[in-house]
């Protein structure tokens, strides 16, 4: 049986427990998805637009932009 993109892989903590800027690992926890699905979503949907690069080449993801993407996708 195939799961839809919006179906959770694992339980998720409340939104208030996540920072405004998240690493990819934290983003996976926020979305309730495993790492391979997060990579796929970043590459194949507009979720990648939430990425920002900071000093030392660290990429973080904006919770505000992620939330807009979730709303647009109907999650």
């Amino acid at each position: 049986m195939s799961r839809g993109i919006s179906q959770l892989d694992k339980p998720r903590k409340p939104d208030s427990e996540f920072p405004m800027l998240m690493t990819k690992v934290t983003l996976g926890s926020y979305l309730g998805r495993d790492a391979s699905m997060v990579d796929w979503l970043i590459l194949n949907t507009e979720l990648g637009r939430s990425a920002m690069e900071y000093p030392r080449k660290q990429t973080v993801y904006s919770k505000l932009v992620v939330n807009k993407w979730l709303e647009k996708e109907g999650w």
Side-chain angles (χ1 to χ4, degrees):
M1 182 162 105
S2 173
R3 290 190 313 240
I5 290 176
S6 64
Q7 213 170 358
L8 298 178
D9 287 332
K10 52 190 172 186
R12 191 177 169 277
K13 297 186 289 187
D15 284 0
S16 62
E17 293 188 27
F18 290 94
M20 292 304 289
L21 296 175
M22 302 178 277
T23 64
K24 192 187 293 186
V25 172
T26 306
L27 176 61
S29 295
Y30 185 68
L31 297 175
R33 303 311 308 250
D34 63 25
S36 62
M37 179 54 83
V38 171
D39 287 338
W40 186 90
L41 290 169
I42 289 168
L43 293 173
N44 296 291
T45 72
E46 293 181 11
L47 181 60
R49 292 183 181 189
S50 67
M52 296 180 280
E53 195 170 298
Y54 275 85
R56 292 189 239 161
K57 305 284 184 191
Q58 181 181 12
T59 301
V60 294
Y61 300 86
S62 165
K63 185 176 177 181
L64 294 173
V65 179
V66 170
N67 285 339
K68 287 180 185 177
W69 176 81
L70 288 169
E71 188 177 308
K72 179 181 174 195
E73 293 294 318
W75 286 27

